Amino acid sequence: MHAVRERCVWSQQITHRDLVPYLIEESHEVIDAVEAGTRDDLREELGDLLWQVLFHAAIAAQDPDDPFDIDDVARTLTEKMVRRHPHVFAGEVAETPEQVLVHWNAAKAAEKRTRRSVLDGVPRGMPALALAQKITGRAAGVGVTVAATALPGAPASEAELGDALLALVATARAEGWDAERALRERLRVLEEDVRTAEADS
């Protein structure tokens, strides 16, 4: 990575912001490899994703004001994982996945003390459906729930849920609606409800 950054004229000009579309693309290619690819595909796509991390670290190392490199990234990650696994590194006990999550969430809460809302830290660049799942989970944590509408023939499995979601997208297309925008706009209302509930508590 250092050689590429030093000797490739294209790479020399690239910024963190320039890399974002490639990071998104490579992340989706890893997902495709996990869901439908071969072991060779997964090995290759994980390498491509790792290249993005190395590229960002190489750019960061050249920052004149606040440089850090891949070793700093790895050190920060290691420290975080040690804190979040006290049942592995600090003598705490966790015999079930639920107990592990208690430790994880306690450590995470201590790290994020400056956050004022359960919505802080939720990446807004997520696709709307993934964002909806994340925000509804955070909202439930402060008592704001979204009622599951009782539909005729409601999905009874993840496969049926996929069919139902696809049917809703087809409806949006037929009506000339933007399904992604519709969900994002509804999520903004939910976020306002969450912030109101937090202010009232």
Side-chain angles (χ1 to χ4, degrees):
M1 184 67 248
H2 289 302
V4 168
R5 186 73 174 162
E6 288 172 8
R7 299 201 296 258
C8 172
V9 292
W10 180 83
S11 298
Q12 290 168 356
Q13 306 304 313
I14 295 296
T15 67
H16 290 297
R17 186 176 294 274
D18 295 332
L19 280 181
V20 168
Y22 302 103
L23 179 59
I24 293 169
E25 181 180 342
E26 297 299 352
S27 298
H28 285 288
E29 288 178 3
V30 170
I31 293 167
D32 285 346
V34 167
E35 294 179 346
T38 65
R39 298 287 293 172
D40 287 342
D41 293 335
L42 181 57
R43 183 184 306 113
E44 178 182 354
E45 297 307 337
L46 285 172
D48 290 347
L49 187 58
L50 177 59
W51 181 257
Q52 292 297 306
V53 174
L54 294 170
F55 206 153
H56 276 284
I59 295 168
Q62 295 175 330
D63 187 284
D65 301 318
D66 186 18
F68 62 83
D69 62 16
I70 193 65
D71 291 330
D72 298 314
V73 172
R75 187 177 309 105
T76 301
L77 175 61
T78 299
E79 291 167 357
K80 180 195 291 186
M81 291 302 107
V82 167
R83 280 193 311 273
R84 292 191 184 181
H85 292 83
H87 54 290
V88 175
F89 299 105
E92 297 289 340
V93 175
E95 297 176 350
T96 66
E98 292 76 18
Q99 290 172 335
V100 170
L101 281 178
V102 168
H103 291 305
W104 179 277
N105 289 331
K108 188 172 180 180
E111 293 166 12
K112 310 295 183 185
R113 282 189 296 265
T114 59
R115 291 187 175 172
R116 294 192 168 97
S117 169
V118 296
L119 300 176
D120 290 348
V122 175
R124 291 306 181 275
M126 293 172 72
L129 200 54
L131 184 62
Q133 191 147 350
K134 176 71 81 173
I135 290 177
T136 55
R138 297 281 180 98
V142 294
V144 177
T145 57
V146 177
T149 305
L151 301 171
S157 68
E158 198 166 277
E160 289 182 12
L161 175 62
D163 291 340
L165 290 169
L166 187 58
L168 285 172
V169 171
T171 298
R173 181 181 172 278
E175 295 291 338
W177 302 331
D178 184 317
E180 181 87 4
R181 182 177 60 231
L183 184 53
R184 282 192 177 280
E185 288 178 356
R186 179 59 184 88
L187 286 174
R188 277 193 280 280
V189 174
L190 177 58
E191 289 184 51
E192 289 173 11
D193 294 344
V194 169
R195 293 187 192 282
T196 299
E198 288 175 327
D200 293 343
S201 65

